[in-house]
Amino acid sequence: MSQVKLRVPGESKEEVLSVQELGPNRYRLLSAPLWVPGLAAEDEFELSDADPRGYRILKPGGNLCIWFRMPPEIAEKHELVVDALDGGLEWIGGRLDGRAGSAFSFTLAASVDRPVYAKAFDGAVARVPGSSWMISNA
């Protein structure tokens, strides 16, 4: 396992991503990013100064990267909701990949019908005031 750093759009920080090296400047992403949009677990990509994102996808991995966010001041109070969400996605092959404070990233196969996972995420949003979810690589 190796790591690469990608710039977080609109911010002065970078996210360190766990990858498998496939060749010179070619990588497979091992888990869903928390902050870098456009990528999902299993995507193959290369770093690219010519692309404004800093990378270019070579082969999509067939997954969605779903971000769930909640206000930082209530994150600890609602961790059980995220744990339940993670457990509720297991039956369709979903998993919690990343967690940093009040930000969470999930991986789910792109072949899963949107109503199936949307129900789970919409339910979590209904239980956590000020929270939201989005597909970051759509």
Side-chain angles (χ1 to χ4, degrees):
M1 179 176 76
S2 299
Q3 296 180 327
V4 297
K5 291 181 183 178
L6 286 175
R7 185 177 29 83
V8 177
E11 299 190 31
S12 60
K13 67 179 181 178
E14 294 178 317
E15 182 173 3
V16 177
L17 303 173
S18 295
V19 297
Q20 174 188 7
E21 288 187 57
L22 301 174
N25 196 36
R26 187 178 178 124
Y27 307 94
R28 177 178 292 121
L29 187 61
L30 299 179
S31 58
L34 278 163
W35 306 107
V36 175
L39 287 171
E42 303 300 321
D43 285 351
E44 293 181 16
F45 69 98
E46 66 182 1
L47 301 179
S48 171
D49 291 333
D51 193 300
R53 299 179 300 180
Y55 66 88
R56 186 171 70 89
I57 294 177
L58 302 171
K59 180 180 174 189
N63 290 311
L64 298 174
C65 173
I66 302 178
W67 288 345
F68 182 79
R69 307 287 197 243
M70 66 176 80
E73 63 274 9
I74 65 168
E76 282 186 35
K77 181 179 175 185
H78 292 285
E79 279 189 26
L80 291 178
V81 172
V82 174
D83 291 341
L85 181 59
D86 183 29
L89 295 174
E90 285 179 359
W91 72 278
I92 54 175
R95 69 178 188 258
L96 175 63
D97 268 355
R99 176 182 234 158
S102 60
F104 306 86
S105 63
F106 292 84
T107 290
L108 189 65
S111 60
V112 176
D113 289 335
R114 184 180 175 93
V116 173
Y117 63 83
K119 182 177 180 181
F121 283 99
D122 288 343
V125 167
R127 291 188 303 278
V128 181
S131 65
S132 64
W133 71 276
M134 68 175 282
I135 301 169
S136 83
N137 66 318

